[in-house]
């Protein structure tokens, strides 16, 4: 439970950071606006074409009597649109991060700079970073697509498909959304995709506490665009904690104040207490 709350605090801390640094809020909005236009067009097209797609995919139901034909295809149409929305939420971040790679790299570096300690740099060129980011996004989206197909199929199960499956879908979306966002800071620390997933697997509740509220917020039109800069900032704060970026500075402070080894052990699992980071009380 503590990690769930902690993940949400990181999300709030990131939003506070961008509003306290307004220039970076405007700077980080540009990629999201471009992605929003692209995805809005795709979802509108899906909304108009979902009925035809469902009818094309279920020719065996053409002779069904009313109201079963309408109910069956209406249910399938809702599932198709829900699947499209699920994929849109997941891929929106990947596409926006790819479009805005230079923007979000700069924003993430500035968060590290204001929070103190080391400001890691990947040492790679822009095109190499774009290639790695694109490659990892495709690999991740393939995993998400498998989950999406499985959840879509489970959606046909009575009761469970309309209750448990959507909840699992939000959790899956939130987990991978957190991975996409933390990858900006973790790639600068030269942590590859396998390492990123390993870090999050060890702190699943933290990842869900950060990502699930963000997924729910992203369902509201335009909200995703305005939350993206703060989401990147919050994910950078989380990445600092996961990668132990503040460990050295915390140890130094303990030595300067003459704290005992027991005190250091007590704080070993605490979140970084940076200027905008969550308080180390979880």
């Amino acid at each position: 439970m503590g990690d769930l709350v902690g993940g949400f605090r990181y999300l709030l801390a990131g939003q506070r950071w961008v509003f306290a640094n307004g220039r970076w809020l405007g700077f980080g909005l540009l990629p999201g606006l471009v992605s929003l236009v692209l995805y809005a067009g795709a979802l509108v097209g899906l909304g108009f074409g979902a009925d035809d797609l469902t009818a094309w995919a279920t020719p065996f139901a053409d002779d069904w009597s009313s109201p079963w034909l309408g109910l069956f295809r209406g249910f399938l149409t809702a599932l198709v649109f829900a699947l499209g929305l699920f994929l849109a939420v997941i891929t929106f971040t990947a596409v926006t991060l790819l479009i805005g790679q230079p923007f979000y790299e700069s924003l993430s570096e500035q968060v590290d700079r204001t929070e103190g300690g080391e400001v890691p740099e990947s040492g790679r060129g822009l095109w190499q970073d774009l290639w790695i980011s694109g490659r990892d996004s495709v690999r991740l989206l393939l995993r998400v697509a498998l989950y999406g197909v499985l959840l879509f199929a489970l959606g046909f199960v009575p009761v469970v498909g309309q209750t448990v499956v959507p909840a699992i879908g939000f959790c899956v979306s939130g987990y991978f959304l957190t991975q996409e966002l933390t990858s900006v800071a973790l790639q600068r620390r030269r942590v590859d995709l396998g390492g990123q997933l390993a870090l999050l697997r060890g702190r699943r509740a933290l990842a869900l506490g950060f990502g699930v509220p963000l997924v729910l917020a992203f369902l509201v039109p335009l909200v995703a665009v305005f939350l993206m800069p703060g989401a990147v900032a919050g994910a950078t704060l989380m990445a600092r904690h996961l990668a132990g970026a503040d460990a050295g500075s915390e140890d130094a402070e303990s030595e300067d104040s003459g704290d005992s080894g027991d005190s250091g052990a007590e704080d070993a699992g605490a979140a970084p207490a940076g200027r905008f980071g969550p308080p180390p009380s979880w």
Side-chain angles (χ1 to χ4, degrees), residues 32-259:
L33 289 172
V34 174
S35 295
L36 178 66
V37 172
L38 295 175
Y39 276 88
L43 286 174
V44 168
L46 179 62
F48 281 107
D51 287 339
D52 294 335
L53 178 62
T54 301
W56 171 83
T58 57
F60 58 85
D62 288 342
D63 297 329
W64 289 13
S65 61
S66 179
W68 305 115
L69 176 62
L71 290 174
F72 176 67
R73 285 185 171 166
F75 174 67
L76 288 184
T77 298
L79 279 180
V80 167
F81 191 79
L83 177 61
L85 193 59
F86 169 79
L87 293 176
V89 169
I90 291 297
T91 59
F92 179 87
T93 302
V95 172
T96 303
L97 290 175
L98 191 60
I99 293 172
Q101 180 78 16
F103 296 86
Y104 295 133
E105 284 279 354
S106 298
L107 191 155
S108 180
E109 288 179 8
Q110 185 63 21
V111 172
D112 272 327
R113 194 169 292 115
T114 58
E115 288 296 292
E118 181 186 4
V119 181
E121 294 182 4
S122 67
R124 297 184 293 257
L126 173 60
W127 291 110
Q128 189 176 5
D129 278 336
L130 284 173
W131 164 251
I132 292 173
S133 178
R135 181 197 64 192
D136 288 350
S137 293
V138 170
R139 291 167 60 190
L140 194 68
L141 290 175
L142 288 175
R143 297 184 184 207
V144 174
L146 290 175
Y147 279 105
V149 170
L150 177 60
L151 291 173
F152 178 75
L154 291 175
F156 292 97
V157 179
V159 182
V160 173
Q162 294 74 52
T163 54
V164 177
V165 171
I168 294 175
F170 281 120
C171 290
V172 171
S173 301
Y175 182 82
F176 285 108
L177 183 59
T178 300
Q179 190 283 324
E180 285 283 355
L181 290 165
T182 53
S183 70
V184 177
L186 291 175
Q187 280 181 12
R188 285 193 295 107
R189 291 164 167 81
R190 302 189 75 86
V191 180
D192 62 15
L193 179 60
Q196 295 168 25
L197 291 173
L199 285 173
L200 291 179
R201 274 197 298 269
R203 303 295 295 275
R204 283 189 177 90
L206 188 69
L208 293 176
F210 183 91
V212 173
L214 197 56
V215 167
L216 294 173
F218 277 14
L219 295 177
V220 181
L222 297 178
V223 168
V225 175
F226 290 98
L227 291 185
M228 269 298 290
V232 172
T236 300
L237 295 171
M238 181 186 293
R240 287 170 61 88
H241 173 49
L242 291 174
D246 294 340
S249 60
E250 288 177 358
D251 290 344
E253 289 174 5
S254 295
E255 290 175 5
D256 291 342
S257 61
D259 287 344

